[in-house]
Amino acid sequence: MAAVSPSQDILVQCVVVNKLAAAVRSYTNELISAREGRPLSTVAWLARCLLELLIWTEFCVKSPQNATNFAIDAVRDCDDLTKRFATMDLEGHPETISSLKDFGDIRTELEADLLPGELDKRYKDVRTAAQDIGKLSFFEVGFKVLSKYAHPTAMIIMIEPIQSERSILIRDTIIGQGLEMAKETATIVKAFLKPYIDSPNPAND
């Protein structure tokens, strides 16, 4: 099958999907390392990140516009961080000032290709993205359960300490679920990128 030469909007979509795939690889490696006795809360948080990445990946491969909207939200995130930094007394914190400059540079780069008025639109939250791709129930159940273990919820506070054997069982179960979500995401990415792998203008990050 002949390789497809992607248009500009597809190139943006490929960049976004590649960055999501890189994030999945990173969190997957962290989750695998968590087998070595990492706290249950850490394991649950990593698995929850992989759940969100699965949703965002499937959302972004659905259409170039979805991927563009995700990229625009990155600019909004930079704006939010900059606003928070602006309310702080940064004297004596050169590393924070440096981070603020970095976010400003990233924002400028991300904003370069935006159309006027794009930033005035609302955020797309992950729950809405899950609804858009028909995975709202799957997301809500997984997010709720993993959040119970990822944060110091009333449940976790009141049942601590969890017996060692039970904690290991729960941790291993969550790790297994996280790895399954990572595998599903990798399959989605592979299927999406396949037509463009041999393209003369691949969007490899």
Side-chain angles (χ1 to χ4, degrees), residues 118-169:
E118 288 281 11
L119 290 175
D120 296 333
K121 300 175 183 177
R122 296 184 61 182
Y123 267 106
K124 170 72 75 170
D125 62 79
V126 66
R127 183 183 182 280
T128 305
Q131 186 173 28
D132 288 352
I133 62 174
K135 284 192 171 180
L136 181 58
S137 178
F138 168 80
F139 170 76
E140 286 187 327
V141 171
F143 192 86
K144 175 66 74 174
V145 172
L146 292 171
S147 293
K148 291 297 183 185
Y149 291 106
H151 299 295
T153 58
M155 181 191 79
I156 291 298
I157 298 300
M158 296 306 294
I159 67 175
E160 285 284 1
I162 301 176
Q163 292 182 354
S164 178
E165 296 80 2
R166 179 167 295 182
S167 178
I168 292 172
L169 177 61

Side-chain angles (χ1 to χ4, degrees), residues 12-30 49-50 52-61 67 70 181-194 203-205:
V12 171
Q13 188 179 23
C14 287
V15 168
V16 170
V17 171
N18 272 315
K19 286 184 177 293
L20 285 164
V24 170
R25 289 192 295 270
S26 177
Y27 281 107
T28 299
N29 290 336
E30 287 290 329
C49 288
L50 286 167
E52 293 187 54
L53 286 168
L54 169 59
I55 297 300
W56 283 125
T57 301
E58 190 163 345
F59 174 78
C60 288
V61 303
F70 183 82
M181 289 185 288
K183 182 179 179 181
E184 182 178 351
T185 306
T187 300
I188 292 170
V189 170
K190 184 177 180 180
F192 169 75
L193 292 176
K194 186 176 181 180
N204 293 322
D205 182 63

